[in-house]
Amino acid sequence: MAQLLRVQNFNVSSDGYGAGEGQSLQRPFGHADPREIFAWAGATASWPNRTEPGGTRGLDDHLVRDFHHNIGAEIMGRNKFGPQRGPWENHDWLGWWGDEPPFHTPVFVLTHHERPSFTLSDTTFHFVGGDLAAVLKRAKEAAQGKDVRLGGGATTIRAFLDADLVDTLHVAVAQPELGAGSRLWESPDELRDRFHVDVVPSPSGVTHHLFWRK
Amino acid sequence: MAQLLRVQNFNVSSDGYGAGEGQSLQRPFGHADPREIFAWAGATASWPNRTEPGGTRGLDDHLVRDFHHNIGAEIMGRNKFGPQRGPWENHDWLGWWGDEPPFHTPVFVLTHHERPSFTLSDTTFHFVGGDLAAVLKRAKEAAQGKDVRLGGGATTIRAFLDADLVDTLHVAVAQPELGAGSRLWESPDELRDRFHVDVVPSPSGVTHHLFWRK
């Protein structure tokens, strides 16, 4: 079975932005409100950050619980890892996720600036630069036969799409507009020349777009 | 995390039948054509019986690949296991699935007629009678913390629904009518008093009904 590069549960606004402008420590998604972006996922029984029992077990839950399914590594952009730009001033920043990051696999963070790998619980972060195909090759080796998740943000997904390295994408399109920020697409129809797509409206209000390579 | 009893990928006709009349060795689904019933699942990349590469990776595939997700045991009715009725004449029949049954867990076959357990590859079949709640308790113990799949047929699912033991159901409703056979419901609306439901039409033509307990 071939190893795939999969985008899972990536959220964009109705106008195609994965995050707003002005990312900072206090606002990981810039001017976008993450509660709005993640509301559909947070309502499900399988949402990993759920603190109380309950939650829905319908369509949205099936997509949320697929997040870890047969995934052996993640690749993410540096802006998903943290708000810093340029060379690392120090190595104090360990990501947004506290002592128990939700990945549970090796994670490859794209950056031009070297930094030693480190491990938190069962997630190890590696910092890698250079050619995207080479990064993917390294992530597939680390995934030991399983698929690799492409975690975002939008700029990173766009770069892998432009290099024609993405096999499947699940993008949840929310109703709010963002107007500016990090953009995945002007329209999902841009991908139709290379991908099949199922467009599936959810009762929760988001519309799931499920793409797979032609 | 509570262990759930889940119906996964159960197929019915538009008039609610899971199988036709006249089950036999040659026709496990009676007068129903299994190619029609399973066409939506057989077209997906994750269909376990797929012999050639390819297949869709959209909505239907997400549901098919969830089949094994966090499942530690299955309960099935005797008519899913085989076409025999009454006491076992011998123990030659080992199910429809050949040497590699697609379950990979303990399977509990409901029957009034005793028979010794046996193992094929990584699937062990047990033959159990009596109270449904007691059978479910035994299957949950065997599942070791994972959920239990309720595999059908329609009569078996109906019995567990009547005993109020089912937590979630995924039922794919196909367009053909069957007119007679083993019936799950007259209408999916029968379950709305006890379950939430997402009704999700697939581009393949089936309509997925995803129920979870209120």
Side-chain angles (χ1 to χ4, degrees):
Chain A
M1 183 79 87
Q3 285 177 279
L4 306 179
L5 182 61
R6 292 159 46 188
V7 175
Q8 299 269 115
N9 293 0
F10 191 72
N11 297 276
V12 301
S13 61
S14 61
D15 50 350
Y17 293 95
E21 285 183 314
Q23 186 191 47
S24 68
L25 186 57
Q26 289 71 35
R27 298 199 61 92
F29 292 88
H31 80 281
D33 180 347
R35 288 169 304 184
E36 261 183 10
I37 296 174
F38 292 111
W40 73 272
T44 66
S46 301
W47 179 238
N49 301 335
R50 170 166 291 283
T51 51
E52 293 174 12
T56 65
R57 297 185 185 273
L59 172 65
D60 293 343
D61 191 65
H62 278 75
L63 291 161
V64 167
R65 72 200 203 200
D66 195 57
F67 185 72
H68 291 291
H69 183 216
N70 198 39
I71 292 288
E74 165 152 337
I75 298 170
M76 65 172 64
R78 185 184 178 182
N79 297 2
K80 176 168 173 180
F81 177 73
Q84 303 84 9
R85 303 292 185 267
W88 303 98
E89 294 184 8
N90 58 55
H91 298 159
D92 294 349
W93 178 259
L94 302 178
W96 308 96
W97 303 281
D99 294 339
E100 293 280 350
F103 306 107
H104 314 294
T105 66
V107 172
F108 294 85
V109 180
L110 299 171
T111 170
H112 301 295
H113 303 284
E114 286 189 17
R115 179 173 163 171
S117 302
F118 70 91
T119 299
L120 276 179
S121 182
D122 53 359
T123 299
T124 297
F125 292 90
H126 302 287
F127 299 85
V128 294
D131 179 57
L132 297 186
V135 171
L136 176 57
K137 182 164 183 289
R138 196 171 155 194
K140 282 187 173 174
E141 285 165 8
Q144 299 185 26
K146 295 185 175 181
D147 295 338
V148 175
R149 188 194 304 113
L150 182 57
T155 308
T156 299
I157 296 174
R158 198 67 247 177
F160 277 88
L161 281 171
D162 293 345
D164 201 22
L165 294 171
V166 181
D167 296 299
T168 70
L169 299 93
H170 162 222
V171 181
V173 180
Q175 287 168 345
E177 291 195 6
L178 276 176
S182 170
R183 195 165 207 173
L184 179 63
W185 57 43
E186 300 212 4
S187 157
D189 293 339
E190 291 166 20
L191 301 185
R192 283 186 184 256
D193 58 336
R194 287 188 285 152
F195 291 89
H196 301 281
V197 59
D198 281 352
V199 178
V200 187
S202 168
S204 65
V206 297
T207 299
H208 299 292
H209 289 61
L210 304 169
F211 299 89
W212 69 101
R213 207 191 262 283
K214 279 185 180 172
Chain B
M1 185 77 91
Q3 286 178 276
L4 305 179
L5 182 62
R6 293 160 46 190
V7 174
Q8 299 267 116
N9 293 359
F10 191 72
N11 297 277
V12 301
S13 61
S14 61
D15 50 350
Y17 293 95
E21 285 183 313
Q23 186 190 46
S24 67
L25 186 58
Q26 288 72 35
R27 298 198 63 92
F29 291 88
H31 80 281
D33 181 346
R35 287 169 303 184
E36 260 183 11
I37 296 174
F38 293 112
W40 71 274
T44 67
S46 301
W47 179 240
N49 301 335
R50 171 165 289 285
T51 52
E52 293 176 10
T56 66
R57 295 185 185 275
L59 171 66
D60 293 342
D61 191 64
H62 278 74
L63 291 162
V64 168
R65 72 201 203 199
D66 195 56
F67 185 72
H68 291 290
H69 185 217
N70 199 41
I71 292 288
E74 166 152 336
I75 298 169
M76 65 172 65
R78 185 183 177 182
N79 297 1
K80 176 168 172 179
F81 176 73
Q84 303 83 7
R85 304 291 185 265
W88 303 98
E89 294 184 10
N90 57 56
H91 297 159
D92 294 349
W93 178 260
L94 302 177
W96 308 96
W97 304 281
D99 294 339
E100 292 281 348
F103 306 107
H104 314 295
T105 65
V107 171
F108 294 84
V109 180
L110 298 171
T111 171
H112 301 295
H113 304 283
E114 286 190 16
R115 179 174 164 170
S117 302
F118 69 90
T119 298
L120 276 179
S121 182
D122 53 358
T123 299
T124 297
F125 291 90
H126 302 286
F127 298 84
V128 294
D131 179 58
L132 297 185
V135 171
L136 176 57
K137 184 164 183 287
R138 193 169 157 195
K140 282 187 174 175
E141 285 165 9
Q144 299 185 25
K146 295 186 175 181
D147 295 338
V148 175
R149 188 193 307 112
L150 182 57
T155 307
T156 300
I157 296 174
R158 199 66 247 179
F160 277 88
L161 281 171
D162 293 346
D164 201 24
L165 294 172
V166 180
D167 296 300
T168 70
L169 299 93
H170 162 222
V171 181
V173 181
Q175 287 168 344
E177 291 194 7
L178 276 178
S182 171
R183 196 165 206 173
L184 180 63
W185 56 43
E186 299 211 4
S187 157
D189 292 340
E190 291 166 21
L191 302 184
R192 283 187 184 257
D193 57 336
R194 289 187 285 150
F195 291 90
H196 301 280
V197 59
D198 282 353
V199 178
V200 188
S202 168
S204 65
V206 296
T207 299
H208 299 292
H209 289 62
L210 304 168
F211 299 89
W212 70 100
R213 208 189 260 282
K214 281 187 181 170

